[in-house]
Amino acid sequence: MQGTAVRRLRARAAPKCVRRGRAPGRGGAGLMPLPQEKGHRSLSLSTDDVPAEERRAYWEACVARFHLATRIDPMEGIPFRASVEANSLHDVTLARSSTTAQRGRRAALGPGAAEEERCLLLINLAGTIHLRHAEREVTLGRHDMIVIDSRLPSEYSMPEGATTLSLNMPRQALVERLPGHADFAAAKLPADRPMQPMTIGFFSNLFETFGRKAAELRSATSLRLAGHAIDHLGIALGDMLETPAPASPYRAALLGRIKDFVEAQLHEPLLGVQMVAAKYRISARYIAMLFREEGTTFSDFMRQRRLERARRQLEALDATARQIGEIALAVGFVSQAHFSRLFREAYQTTPRQYRSAFDHRLALPRDQKGLTGGESEAC
């Protein structure tokens, strides 16, 4: 970022804590976010007194401090303005932000990243926000909420006058409150959920009350409030995650892509749910949910597709020239005995008998041992 440093910063509580430095991801002098400190702190920051050419880097520093580090792209032709009021409760931060139209993009945390794994609850108070996170497209209307996981990439667009209330917290703290539901990235809490009015009221009142009474609270009290805030979010998320979701066009499209990928990789013995999860940057639990909605499992689907491909290869004209073990290996089975057992269970006959029924023109060569487990006479 080029130009002089910020000339004046409007801050409540401790303005002296702000110092010159380098803004995240930028190349010149700028304004660093406030240092992370335990205890409670209330601040009000704005771009109003920041030179126009420095505003984006300044706001990126604010976003990194109170939300999640993000690359900001203001809309062209619109003077960029933004402001935030933030109340920090130990390692939890409540922030209310307003901004002109902008887009944001955040990369996934890489292996060994120094940045702590955190989550952000984003409550939309005004405008319509469009997000892409955890392979999901989400639109937030007024009073809709979403949970963003810092480990995963995200993109968003906000309109002019967008206003949000956010809760930034350690990811592990939320995981501990949702046993069995660690896949909450991009979990949307719609405004019409039964708990939504209570949840919005709780966080709004906590934000307003803490902003007025921060100086009067003891450190132990702010620590309990931080825990209570995460408790409340855990209850709201648990209520939503345990309720069956309606059919989603996006989930159907994602499931179709997963099936296509599995079909293309059937020959790979190491193909499994972890490989697919890594490919699409989603969790194994989410994949299980997608297949469960169709009344099956990932393992059952993959096994059925492998057996079906093997069956078609056994019907081919050149099948008698191939060993049973060769066909099993070609569709991803590493044990010929295991393949023969599964084939018999699915089709009530052995692979050898099935092949013989389709072509008696060539004498069947004796299959040799080729895979782990060899070939039994029942093959």
Side-chain angles (χ1 to χ4, degrees):
M1 180 178 63
Q2 302 298 320
T4 60
V6 177
R7 297 167 298 185
R8 183 162 61 91
L9 179 69
R10 295 186 300 142
R12 283 202 311 254
K16 298 294 185 182
C17 290
V18 182
R19 62 180 183 270
R20 290 170 60 97
R22 289 185 181 274
R26 306 297 292 172
L31 191 69
M32 285 293 291
L34 292 173
Q36 295 279 0
E37 297 182 13
K38 300 298 182 181
H40 48 259
R41 178 181 299 278
S42 295
L43 295 169
S44 179
L45 309 174
S46 172
T47 62
D48 286 354
D49 298 317
V50 179
E53 67 275 12
E54 298 179 12
R55 287 184 176 182
R56 181 170 73 174
Y58 174 82
W59 186 243
E60 285 178 347
C62 292
V63 169
R65 169 62 177 86
F66 300 118
H67 298 98
L68 300 173
T70 303
R71 168 73 180 189
I72 304 295
D73 292 312
M75 294 298 183
E76 294 184 4
I78 301 176
F80 179 67
R81 295 182 61 192
S83 63
V84 60
E85 296 176 80
N87 298 319
S88 295
L89 305 162
H90 287 265
D91 55 357
V92 171
T93 300
L94 269 167
R96 183 167 59 196
S97 305
S98 297
T99 179
T100 52
Q102 62 171 264
R103 296 181 185 276
R105 182 173 65 255
R106 173 184 169 81
L109 286 182
E115 185 178 340
E116 178 187 9
E117 291 184 358
R118 299 187 69 84
C119 283
L120 185 76
L121 171 68
L122 190 68
I123 306 173
N124 184 24
L125 300 180
T128 300
I129 302 174
H130 301 282
L131 299 101
R132 178 176 176 81
H133 182 52
E135 293 289 336
R136 306 177 200 177
E137 301 280 353
V138 181
T139 299
L140 298 183
R142 184 171 181 269
H143 288 175
D144 288 340
M145 306 181 191
I146 191 171
V147 177
I148 300 174
D149 189 332
S150 71
R151 303 175 307 162
L152 304 176
S154 59
E155 300 178 17
Y156 70 82
S157 64
M158 291 184 176
E160 183 78 15
T163 303
T164 62
L165 181 64
S166 63
L167 178 72
N168 184 318
M169 75 212 87
R171 182 180 185 277
Q172 186 58 34
L174 187 55
V175 170
E176 292 170 356
R177 289 161 170 82
L178 290 168
H181 293 289
D183 182 24
F184 46 70
K188 177 182 176 181
L189 289 77
D192 59 359
R193 293 289 303 178
M195 281 199 63
Q196 206 74 339
M198 184 190 306
T199 302
I200 293 175
F202 171 80
F203 286 116
S204 296
N205 289 334
L206 181 61
F207 177 84
E208 297 292 347
T209 302
F210 188 81
R212 293 193 301 267
K213 303 292 185 178
E216 302 175 18
L217 293 179
R218 293 183 299 134
S219 179
T221 301
S222 65
L223 180 60
R224 294 189 188 99
L225 284 173
H228 189 43
I230 303 176
D231 287 340
H232 193 102
L233 175 58
I235 294 171
L237 270 176
D239 175 69
M240 189 274 297
L241 293 172
E242 293 170 6
T243 302
S248 163
Y250 173 75
R251 288 202 298 271
L254 176 59
L255 180 60
R257 295 199 300 273
I258 290 174
K259 288 181 176 180
D260 290 343
F261 177 77
V262 170
E263 195 74 25
Q265 300 294 323
L266 283 178
H267 63 280
E268 173 57 61
L270 297 180
L271 177 64
V273 68
Q274 295 301 332
M275 179 186 291
V276 176
K279 164 73 175 176
Y280 291 97
R281 303 189 67 82
I282 55 179
S283 70
R285 184 182 297 275
Y286 189 68
I287 293 173
M289 182 271 291
L290 292 175
F291 281 90
R292 186 167 59 248
E293 289 181 347
E294 286 205 336
T296 186
T297 67
F298 176 87
S299 297
D300 287 346
F301 172 78
M302 183 173 65
R303 180 170 58 249
Q304 187 271 331
R305 296 310 304 150
R306 280 177 164 162
L307 290 172
E308 178 64 15
R309 181 172 293 186
R311 184 183 66 81
R312 292 199 305 269
Q313 293 189 20
L314 290 168
E315 294 174 3
L317 291 176
D318 65 343
T320 54
R322 302 174 65 193
Q323 298 179 4
I324 298 294
E326 179 185 354
I327 293 175
L329 184 61
V331 298
F333 289 100
V334 295
S335 167
Q336 183 174 312
H338 180 60
F339 163 66
S340 296
R341 179 177 61 81
L342 293 177
F343 192 95
R344 180 194 286 272
E345 290 175 357
Y347 302 110
Q348 291 76 54
T349 186
T350 67
R352 185 193 298 277
Q353 292 168 341
Y354 189 86
R355 179 176 61 181
S356 299
F358 279 86
D359 196 345
H360 298 285
R361 293 172 298 177
L362 298 175
L364 294 178
R366 179 176 179 79
D367 290 292
Q368 303 174 2
K369 294 180 180 179
L371 297 175
T372 303
E375 178 173 352
S376 67
E377 289 300 317
C379 289

